[in-house]
């Protein structure tokens, strides 16, 4: 098949090379951005007098018609085209003739593809940010209902100190808000037009780069033509930010798996968000959470693929960079696909308040509070820690818990203990007492949720 670049060749490319070289199988997903970029380019070419206005108008109309036909399915991608850029340009020329051949004036596929990928990521990352905000809103609503739902907080997966379910959810709200911010930072940095970089060394035409950027809604233009075509930091950064999103969703998933197990029994998944077993009739499995946890690996893989493709490349463009697209698409597709059922799974979760409370009451989660109580009576913390530890040892041997000790028993660990100890080590007090900003006390969590709701409202 004739190539747009075959003027200097005497032989046809081998069929295996055509197939190997082709990217239209995946970069067809950039067609909207490709047309948008070409329309902005051609308008500018007319404005600066490089193209006659009539040609530019014919090109723009032709591109818009191609876009409409691709959207409707009236026009099919030609799998034989080398890539989406070649396909659109060839189709344009097929439709409008000579004028179509002027579209690529002052442009290279190198700056074109860099632009397309930036535009695509800007659109998609914006959508993921909206999904993250939706998940934060769901978590904030759930947390509001569980300000007083006491559960054990863990370190080393050992019961540590009592917290509330709202406070635990608040930790994920904080993580997801950082993710939202990170994707915003990524968008702010990729928001530049590389057009005008040409193949690598700019171009001799008097292009108005800023006008193109403005037309495309981008904040500015890239600073160096070599970097403009060979920079994929924005793709790596997006994959890195998406990887961190997946770290958070994966950790949350692990907790859902634990909590929904018979051992914890803290939550029950809605039937609509769980699955059964083909052999064991009693099973109700947390597949959504497990699959979300598993999908994290894909996204990390995409990040590592991008880093590895880029690490040894000399400036400027190299064909290796064609490999960036599938990794970027996969990372974006995966995060989007996880967030939908993940959000639904959480929104429909049944919380077993009593089981959480029982677990918080076991495991001596108030031992620190007993030590703090003794500190309040004047004992140095280190000595109080030891006294409380001895009380725990005693309870373990006796098969009882701190709050069930008699006052006489308590006094064997410290004569400072008075009848107010029971109130001081009650679960409600343990939680209420931790009222610093960021702590689990209902008022502190409510303040965090207020701030989160203001943040959501201002998005
Ligand atoms: N399909 C190519 C890519 O994705 C477009 C750029 C081709 N540039 C070139 N000089 N061969 O990277």
């Amino acid at each position: 098949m004739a190539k747009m670049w075959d003027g200097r060749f005497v032989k046809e490319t081998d069929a295996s090379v055509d197939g190997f070289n082709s990217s239209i199988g995946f970069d067809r997903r950039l067609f909207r951005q490709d047309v948008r970029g070409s329309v902005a380019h051609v308008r500018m070419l007319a404005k600066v007098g490089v193209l006659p206005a009539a040609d530019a108008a014919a090109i723009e109309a032709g591109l818009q018609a191609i876009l409409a036909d691709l959207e409707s399915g009236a026009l099919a991608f030609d799998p034989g085209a080398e890539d989406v850029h070649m396909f659109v340009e060839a189709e344009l020329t097929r439709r409008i003739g000579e004028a179509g051949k002027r579209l690529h004036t002052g442009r290279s596929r190198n700056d074109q593809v860099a632009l397309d990928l930036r535009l695509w990521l800007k659109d998609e990352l914006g959508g993921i940010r909206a999904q993250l905000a939706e998940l934060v809103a769901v978590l904030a609503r759930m947390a509001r209902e569980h300000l007083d739902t006491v559960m054990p907080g863990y370190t080393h997966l050992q019961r540590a100190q009592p917290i509330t379910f709202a406070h635990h959810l608040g930790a994920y709200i904080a993580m997801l808000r950082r993710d939202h911010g990170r994707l915003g930072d990524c968008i702010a940095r990729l928001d530049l037009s590389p057009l005008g970089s040409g193949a690598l060394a700019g171009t001799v035409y008097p292009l108005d780069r800023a006008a193109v950027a403005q037309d495309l809604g981008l904040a500015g233009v890239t600073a160096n033509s070599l970097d403009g075509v060979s920079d994929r930091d924005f793709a790596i950064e997006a994959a890195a930010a998406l990887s961190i999103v997946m770290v958070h969703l994966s950790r949350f998933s692990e907790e859902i798996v634990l909590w929904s197990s018979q051992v914890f029994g803290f939550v029950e998944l809605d039937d609509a968000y769980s699955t059964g077993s083909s052999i064991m009739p009693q099973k109700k499995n947390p597949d959504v959470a497990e699959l979300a946890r598993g999908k994290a690996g894909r996204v990390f893989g995409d990040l590592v693929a991008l880093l590895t493709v880029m690490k040894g490349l000399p400036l400027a463009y190299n064909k290796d960079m064609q490999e960036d697209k599938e990794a970027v698409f996969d990372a974006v597709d995966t995060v989007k696909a996880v967030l939908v059922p993940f959000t639904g799974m959480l929104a429909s979760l049944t919380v077993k308040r009593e089981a959480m409370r029982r677990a918080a009451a076991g495991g001596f989660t108030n031992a620190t509070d007993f030590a703090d109580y003794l500190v309040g009576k004047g004992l140095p913390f280190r000595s109080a820690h030891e006294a409380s530890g001895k009380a725990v040892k005693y309870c373990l041997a006796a098969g009882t818990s701190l709050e069930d000790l008699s006052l006489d028993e308590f006094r064997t660990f410290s004569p400072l203990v008075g009848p107010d100890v029971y109130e001081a080590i009650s679960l409600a007090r343990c939680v209420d007492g931790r009222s610093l900003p960021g702590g689990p006390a209902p008022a502190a969590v409510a303040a965090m949720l207020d701030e989160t709701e203001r943040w959501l409202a201002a998005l």
Side-chain angles (χ1 to χ4, degrees):
M1 207 217 307
K3 303 275 195 310
M4 286 187 186
W5 41 252
D6 67 2
R8 60 98 73 211
F9 289 81
V10 293
K11 271 172 97 180
E12 293 263 311
T13 15
D14 190 82
S16 71
V17 174
D18 278 339
F20 185 60
N21 211 26
S22 167
S23 54
I24 192 154
F26 48 87
D27 67 16
R28 61 175 64 187
R29 293 181 63 174
L30 299 173
F31 74 90
R32 293 186 186 88
Q33 290 75 18
D34 198 69
V35 168
R36 252 163 73 200
S38 290
V39 167
H41 178 64
V42 82
R43 282 183 190 156
M44 177 277 297
L45 289 180
K47 199 189 102 187
V48 300
V50 170
L51 276 199
D55 281 350
I59 292 172
E60 176 166 352
L63 287 169
Q64 301 292 11
I66 289 171
L67 177 61
D69 290 349
L70 285 172
E71 294 280 11
S72 73
L75 174 62
F77 289 98
D78 170 10
E82 191 177 314
D83 56 29
V84 67
H85 325 292
M86 295 290 209
F87 170 73
V88 171
E89 193 185 325
E91 177 65 18
L92 178 71
T93 301
R94 200 184 63 73
R95 290 184 180 204
I96 70 166
E98 281 298 298
K101 297 187 183 171
R102 299 188 191 278
L103 165 63
H104 211 48
T105 312
R107 192 177 66 171
S108 157
R109 273 184 299 156
N110 297 351
D111 53 1
Q112 187 177 358
V113 71
L115 172 71
D116 291 2
L117 198 55
R118 284 172 185 264
L119 291 174
W120 189 88
L121 266 173
K122 188 177 174 184
D123 292 344
E124 293 291 336
L125 296 184
I128 291 177
R129 292 180 91 212
Q131 283 184 284
L132 288 173
E134 172 57 25
L135 177 52
V136 167
V138 164
L139 295 177
R141 274 201 295 281
M142 288 169 76
R144 280 276 175 216
E145 287 168 30
H146 291 285
L147 288 170
D148 300 306
T149 304
V150 175
M151 70 179 282
Y154 295 82
T155 62
H156 314 270
L157 202 56
Q158 308 281 326
R159 288 174 193 158
Q161 289 174 339
I163 57 169
T164 66
F165 188 53
H167 190 234
H168 202 113
L169 294 177
Y172 286 103
I173 291 175
M175 291 178 234
L176 295 167
R177 285 183 56 178
R178 286 198 298 277
D179 290 330
H180 189 276
R182 250 186 296 274
L183 291 173
D185 295 344
C186 178
I187 291 172
R189 243 184 313 278
L190 66 71
D191 201 20
L192 300 175
S193 171
L195 285 195
S197 300
L200 75 159
T203 168
V204 294
Y205 300 98
L207 306 186
D208 185 344
R209 298 191 63 202
V212 172
Q214 199 179 8
D215 194 0
L216 292 169
L218 298 171
V221 301
T222 53
N224 174 286
S225 64
L226 293 171
D227 188 49
V229 293
S230 65
D231 166 30
R232 291 294 182 275
D233 289 6
F234 59 92
I236 296 172
E237 215 177 316
L242 294 173
S243 291
I244 300 175
V245 171
M246 290 308 297
V247 169
H248 297 151
L249 298 183
S250 183
R251 294 184 75 177
F252 206 167
S253 293
E254 168 65 8
E255 299 206 298
I256 299 290
V257 171
L258 289 171
W259 292 345
S260 63
S261 71
Q262 285 87 350
V263 180
F264 279 75
F266 286 1
V267 300
E268 181 166 350
L269 295 174
D270 193 81
D271 280 2
Y273 289 94
S274 31
T275 49
S277 157
S278 61
I279 172 169
M280 298 164 285
Q282 85 284 9
K283 290 299 289 291
K284 182 167 173 182
N285 294 329
D287 284 25
V288 171
E290 292 172 75
L291 208 44
R293 192 176 56 188
K295 297 268 186 202
R298 290 179 75 104
V299 180
F300 304 167
D302 295 326
L303 170 62
V304 172
L306 287 167
L307 289 167
T308 312
V309 164
M310 295 306 296
K311 70 175 273 293
L313 298 187
L315 298 184
Y317 178 83
N318 301 267
K319 188 76 174 203
D320 317 42
M321 290 160 69
Q322 180 164 288
E323 288 289 307
D324 59 1
K325 260 125 355 244
E326 284 164 293
V328 166
F329 293 158
D330 186 70
V332 166
D333 290 345
T334 303
V335 171
K336 281 166 71 177
V338 168
L339 277 168
V340 177
F342 192 88
T343 303
M345 171 184 71
L346 285 166
S348 60
L349 204 66
T350 302
V351 178
K352 308 247 198 80
R353 294 171 197 257
E354 252 327 291
M356 287 187 176
R357 166 170 292 278
R358 261 199 314 279
F364 303 99
T365 60
N366 53 1
T368 311
D369 297 88
F370 179 42
D372 290 336
Y373 167 83
L374 293 174
V375 168
K377 299 284 178 192
L379 206 61
F381 181 76
R382 218 14 94 206
S383 314
H385 184 287
E386 192 186 350
S388 179
K390 287 197 164 132
V392 168
K393 182 159 57 168
Y394 173 86
C395 289
L396 284 171
T400 184
S401 54
L402 289 175
E403 56 278 12
D404 292 327
L405 293 178
S406 70
L407 199 51
D408 285 342
E409 285 174 305
F410 262 127
R411 288 210 168 106
T412 62
F413 306 108
S414 167
L416 295 170
V417 178
D420 55 344
V421 69
Y422 298 102
E423 155 67 11
I425 65 169
S426 71
L427 278 185
R429 252 310 285 286
C430 295
V431 171
D432 289 349
R434 295 185 159 79
S435 57
L436 293 179
V445 176
M448 186 224 182
L449 296 177
D450 289 345
E451 196 276 318
T452 294
E453 276 151 17
R454 284 197 296 276
W455 176 79
L456 283 167
L459 287 179

